[in-house]
Amino acid sequence: MNQLDALKQFTTVVADTGNFKQLGAFKPQDATTNPSLILKAVQQSDYAPLLKSVTDTFRGRPLDEVMDRLLVRFGCEILSLIPGRVSTEVDARLSFDSAATVARAERLIELYQAQGVHVDRVLIKVAATWEGIRAAEQLERKGIHTNLTLLFSFCQAVACGQAKVQLISPFVGRIYDWYKKSAGANWVEADNAGANDPGVKSVTQIYNYYKKFGIATEVMGASFRNLGQITALAGCDLLTISPELLAGLAASEAPLPRQLSAQAAQALPLEPVQFDEVAFRFALNEDAMATEKLAEGIRAFCVDAAKLDQLLLAA
């Protein structure tokens, strides 16, 4: 059995791609997209007809509406190839506006429903800012499920659990990147691999806390840099993996034992914590890595959203 099949025995495998033509090879349960992945996809010749179709059909409509229709078109294509859910991201430029995030999410769901897609097959991706978490809390109450992204810290995860969001996406690789860059010449790769990887440790802490206290929010490790990060999180609820790393798992026959389990987590001596807005903002500010990576992630998604705007205007 290859490592991909072994991983699927105890973790839901999700494809992290805007390129839906790659999905068939790996048979993931779910798929996630983001503005950067969609931007990358629409610049490929394979997807030019899809971009043109959307822009021709909705020419003259407000740009934000055309953007949402493009995202939903990609999402529908992906859903035709997978049995589970697709994550579609609200414009990152709304990351600090709860009301606008809710309104945009509701429109995305309406567009999906107009295509015959059931609400349960879509996760609305929202940045895990305080305002994003509050928006997600409102959406969950309305029966719209959310995926809280750009999640780098324990306080973000706890606040998401308190808000009863459907799923969180803690970013393993970007945490690893920050610590590696911060250490500079003092970084020793062997000492920071596998279970000792700072990104792996962050997701493990969150997973164990959720399972210890019966928090229903799903944990989906994201943003992987190498196969070791993935195998060290085997047993996590879900892992969203790029096509390149999915291919690496499929090519390996090495043993892949389970590393995380709810049963083991329940035996850990953990204490419950709560975060109101003041405590959340202070805890996030105290975590330099999470503060920097959250801001950097939002900025990068905003840049790519603006580039997508330009492509739509030019099409």
PDB file of all heavy atoms in Angstrom, residues 169-185:
ATOM      1  N   SER A 169      -8.075  25.725   9.248  1.00  0.00           N
ATOM      2  CA  SER A 169      -6.926  25.318   8.432  1.00  0.00           C
ATOM      3  C   SER A 169      -5.634  25.905   9.011  1.00  0.00           C
ATOM      4  O   SER A 169      -5.164  26.952   8.559  1.00  0.00           O
ATOM      5  CB  SER A 169      -7.088  25.818   6.990  1.00  0.00           C
ATOM      6  OG  SER A 169      -8.209  25.244   6.375  1.00  0.00           O
ATOM      7  N   PRO A 170      -5.052  25.281  10.035  1.00  0.00           N
ATOM      8  CA  PRO A 170      -3.763  25.765  10.539  1.00  0.00           C
ATOM      9  C   PRO A 170      -2.662  25.535   9.510  1.00  0.00           C
ATOM     10  O   PRO A 170      -2.588  24.474   8.896  1.00  0.00           O
ATOM     11  CB  PRO A 170      -3.536  24.944  11.807  1.00  0.00           C
ATOM     12  CG  PRO A 170      -4.457  23.783  11.730  1.00  0.00           C
ATOM     13  CD  PRO A 170      -5.561  24.127  10.797  1.00  0.00           C
ATOM     14  N   PHE A 171      -1.809  26.539   9.312  1.00  0.00           N
ATOM     15  CA  PHE A 171      -0.833  26.560   8.221  1.00  0.00           C
ATOM     16  C   PHE A 171       0.532  26.042   8.680  1.00  0.00           C
ATOM     17  O   PHE A 171       1.352  26.809   9.195  1.00  0.00           O
ATOM     18  CB  PHE A 171      -0.692  27.987   7.680  1.00  0.00           C
ATOM     19  CG  PHE A 171      -1.717  28.362   6.644  1.00  0.00           C
ATOM     20  CD1 PHE A 171      -3.031  27.977   6.767  1.00  0.00           C
ATOM     21  CD2 PHE A 171      -1.360  29.115   5.544  1.00  0.00           C
ATOM     22  CE1 PHE A 171      -3.980  28.320   5.820  1.00  0.00           C
ATOM     23  CE2 PHE A 171      -2.293  29.475   4.579  1.00  0.00           C
ATOM     24  CZ  PHE A 171      -3.611  29.070   4.721  1.00  0.00           C
ATOM     25  N   VAL A 172       0.785  24.785   8.452  1.00  0.00           N
ATOM     26  CA  VAL A 172       2.008  24.134   8.914  1.00  0.00           C
ATOM     27  C   VAL A 172       3.260  24.751   8.268  1.00  0.00           C
ATOM     28  O   VAL A 172       4.196  25.169   8.955  1.00  0.00           O
ATOM     29  CB  VAL A 172       1.956  22.622   8.611  1.00  0.00           C
ATOM     30  CG1 VAL A 172       3.252  21.931   9.036  1.00  0.00           C
ATOM     31  CG2 VAL A 172       0.755  21.988   9.296  1.00  0.00           C
ATOM     32  N   GLY A 173       3.279  24.799   6.950  1.00  0.00           N
ATOM     33  CA  GLY A 173       4.481  25.218   6.231  1.00  0.00           C
ATOM     34  C   GLY A 173       4.871  26.652   6.484  1.00  0.00           C
ATOM     35  O   GLY A 173       6.059  26.978   6.588  1.00  0.00           O
ATOM     36  N   ARG A 174       3.881  27.523   6.616  1.00  0.00           N
ATOM     37  CA  ARG A 174       4.219  28.937   6.816  1.00  0.00           C
ATOM     38  C   ARG A 174       4.775  29.174   8.220  1.00  0.00           C
ATOM     39  O   ARG A 174       5.602  30.071   8.413  1.00  0.00           O
ATOM     40  CB  ARG A 174       2.997  29.823   6.541  1.00  0.00           C
ATOM     41  CG  ARG A 174       2.553  29.757   5.091  1.00  0.00           C
ATOM     42  CD  ARG A 174       1.571  30.864   4.758  1.00  0.00           C
ATOM     43  NE  ARG A 174       0.873  30.566   3.512  1.00  0.00           N
ATOM     44  CZ  ARG A 174       0.060  31.402   2.900  1.00  0.00           C
ATOM     45  NH1 ARG A 174      -0.168  32.595   3.413  1.00  0.00           N
ATOM     46  NH2 ARG A 174      -0.550  31.068   1.780  1.00  0.00           N
ATOM     47  N   ILE A 175       4.301  28.386   9.203  1.00  0.00           N
ATOM     48  CA  ILE A 175       4.890  28.458  10.552  1.00  0.00           C
ATOM     49  C   ILE A 175       6.351  27.995  10.492  1.00  0.00           C
ATOM     50  O   ILE A 175       7.256  28.652  11.029  1.00  0.00           O
ATOM     51  CB  ILE A 175       4.069  27.609  11.541  1.00  0.00           C
ATOM     52  CG1 ILE A 175       2.666  28.198  11.718  1.00  0.00           C
ATOM     53  CG2 ILE A 175       4.783  27.485  12.884  1.00  0.00           C
ATOM     54  CD1 ILE A 175       1.729  27.345  12.554  1.00  0.00           C
ATOM     55  N   TYR A 176       6.567  26.885   9.828  1.00  0.00           N
ATOM     56  CA  TYR A 176       7.928  26.351   9.626  1.00  0.00           C
ATOM     57  C   TYR A 176       8.823  27.394   8.953  1.00  0.00           C
ATOM     58  O   TYR A 176       9.962  27.641   9.385  1.00  0.00           O
ATOM     59  CB  TYR A 176       7.813  25.082   8.784  1.00  0.00           C
ATOM     60  CG  TYR A 176       9.074  24.574   8.132  1.00  0.00           C
ATOM     61  CD1 TYR A 176       9.921  23.687   8.794  1.00  0.00           C
ATOM     62  CD2 TYR A 176       9.391  24.951   6.822  1.00  0.00           C
ATOM     63  CE1 TYR A 176      11.071  23.203   8.171  1.00  0.00           C
ATOM     64  CE2 TYR A 176      10.533  24.469   6.197  1.00  0.00           C
ATOM     65  CZ  TYR A 176      11.368  23.600   6.873  1.00  0.00           C
ATOM     66  OH  TYR A 176      12.498  23.116   6.257  1.00  0.00           O
ATOM     67  N   ASP A 177       8.305  28.036   7.904  1.00  0.00           N
ATOM     68  CA  ASP A 177       9.073  29.056   7.174  1.00  0.00           C
ATOM     69  C   ASP A 177       9.547  30.162   8.108  1.00  0.00           C
ATOM     70  O   ASP A 177      10.699  30.608   8.041  1.00  0.00           O
ATOM     71  CB  ASP A 177       8.226  29.705   6.068  1.00  0.00           C
ATOM     72  CG  ASP A 177       7.856  28.759   4.946  1.00  0.00           C
ATOM     73  OD1 ASP A 177       8.470  27.676   4.843  1.00  0.00           O
ATOM     74  OD2 ASP A 177       6.942  29.099   4.166  1.00  0.00           O
ATOM     75  N   TRP A 178       8.629  30.634   8.979  1.00  0.00           N
ATOM     76  CA  TRP A 178       8.953  31.765   9.853  1.00  0.00           C
ATOM     77  C   TRP A 178      10.067  31.389  10.830  1.00  0.00           C
ATOM     78  O   TRP A 178      11.019  32.149  11.011  1.00  0.00           O
ATOM     79  CB  TRP A 178       7.706  32.205  10.627  1.00  0.00           C
ATOM     80  CG  TRP A 178       7.901  33.495  11.377  1.00  0.00           C
ATOM     81  CD1 TRP A 178       7.645  34.758  10.920  1.00  0.00           C
ATOM     82  CD2 TRP A 178       8.392  33.652  12.718  1.00  0.00           C
ATOM     83  NE1 TRP A 178       7.941  35.689  11.886  1.00  0.00           N
ATOM     84  CE2 TRP A 178       8.407  35.041  12.995  1.00  0.00           C
ATOM     85  CE3 TRP A 178       8.819  32.761  13.697  1.00  0.00           C
ATOM     86  CZ2 TRP A 178       8.831  35.557  14.223  1.00  0.00           C
ATOM     87  CZ3 TRP A 178       9.260  33.264  14.914  1.00  0.00           C
ATOM     88  CH2 TRP A 178       9.257  34.650  15.171  1.00  0.00           C
ATOM     89  N   TYR A 179       9.921  30.221  11.460  1.00  0.00           N
ATOM     90  CA  TYR A 179      10.934  29.810  12.441  1.00  0.00           C
ATOM     91  C   TYR A 179      12.282  29.539  11.778  1.00  0.00           C
ATOM     92  O   TYR A 179      13.339  29.870  12.335  1.00  0.00           O
ATOM     93  CB  TYR A 179      10.452  28.596  13.235  1.00  0.00           C
ATOM     94  CG  TYR A 179       9.478  28.984  14.322  1.00  0.00           C
ATOM     95  CD1 TYR A 179       8.109  28.808  14.154  1.00  0.00           C
ATOM     96  CD2 TYR A 179       9.922  29.567  15.500  1.00  0.00           C
ATOM     97  CE1 TYR A 179       7.208  29.196  15.141  1.00  0.00           C
ATOM     98  CE2 TYR A 179       9.026  29.955  16.497  1.00  0.00           C
ATOM     99  CZ  TYR A 179       7.681  29.770  16.311  1.00  0.00           C
ATOM    100  OH  TYR A 179       6.796  30.163  17.291  1.00  0.00           O
ATOM    101  N   LYS A 180      12.246  28.968  10.592  1.00  0.00           N
ATOM    102  CA  LYS A 180      13.503  28.702   9.870  1.00  0.00           C
ATOM    103  C   LYS A 180      14.196  30.016   9.508  1.00  0.00           C
ATOM    104  O   LYS A 180      15.416  30.167   9.699  1.00  0.00           O
ATOM    105  CB  LYS A 180      13.211  27.880   8.610  1.00  0.00           C
ATOM    106  CG  LYS A 180      14.466  27.462   7.851  1.00  0.00           C
ATOM    107  CD  LYS A 180      14.124  26.520   6.705  1.00  0.00           C
ATOM    108  CE  LYS A 180      15.396  26.083   5.984  1.00  0.00           C
ATOM    109  NZ  LYS A 180      15.098  25.117   4.906  1.00  0.00           N
ATOM    110  N   LYS A 181      13.432  30.983   9.004  1.00  0.00           N
ATOM    111  CA  LYS A 181      13.995  32.282   8.640  1.00  0.00           C
ATOM    112  C   LYS A 181      14.505  33.013   9.882  1.00  0.00           C
ATOM    113  O   LYS A 181      15.581  33.634   9.866  1.00  0.00           O
ATOM    114  CB  LYS A 181      12.937  33.119   7.924  1.00  0.00           C
ATOM    115  CG  LYS A 181      13.436  34.471   7.441  1.00  0.00           C
ATOM    116  CD  LYS A 181      12.326  35.232   6.737  1.00  0.00           C
ATOM    117  CE  LYS A 181      12.801  36.603   6.290  1.00  0.00           C
ATOM    118  NZ  LYS A 181      11.701  37.369   5.648  1.00  0.00           N
ATOM    119  N   SER A 182      13.747  32.927  10.960  1.00  0.00           N
ATOM    120  CA  SER A 182      14.112  33.608  12.206  1.00  0.00           C
ATOM    121  C   SER A 182      15.412  33.053  12.785  1.00  0.00           C
ATOM    122  O   SER A 182      16.249  33.799  13.304  1.00  0.00           O
ATOM    123  CB  SER A 182      12.971  33.456  13.221  1.00  0.00           C
ATOM    124  OG  SER A 182      13.282  34.103  14.418  1.00  0.00           O
ATOM    125  N   ALA A 183      15.587  31.731  12.689  1.00  0.00           N
ATOM    126  CA  ALA A 183      16.798  31.088  13.238  1.00  0.00           C
ATOM    127  C   ALA A 183      18.023  31.356  12.383  1.00  0.00           C
ATOM    128  O   ALA A 183      19.155  31.366  12.875  1.00  0.00           O
ATOM    129  CB  ALA A 183      16.565  29.588  13.376  1.00  0.00           C
ATOM    130  N   GLY A 184      17.814  31.550  11.093  1.00  0.00           N
ATOM    131  CA  GLY A 184      18.928  31.838  10.188  1.00  0.00           C
ATOM    132  C   GLY A 184      19.960  30.722  10.179  1.00  0.00           C
ATOM    133  O   GLY A 184      19.633  29.540  10.043  1.00  0.00           O
ATOM    134  N   ALA A 185      21.206  31.103  10.385  1.00  0.00           N
ATOM    135  CA  ALA A 185      22.306  30.130  10.328  1.00  0.00           C
ATOM    136  C   ALA A 185      22.256  29.119  11.465  1.00  0.00           C
ATOM    137  O   ALA A 185      22.906  28.067  11.399  1.00  0.00           O
ATOM    138  CB  ALA A 185      23.643  30.871  10.356  1.00  0.00           C
TER     139      ALA A 185
END
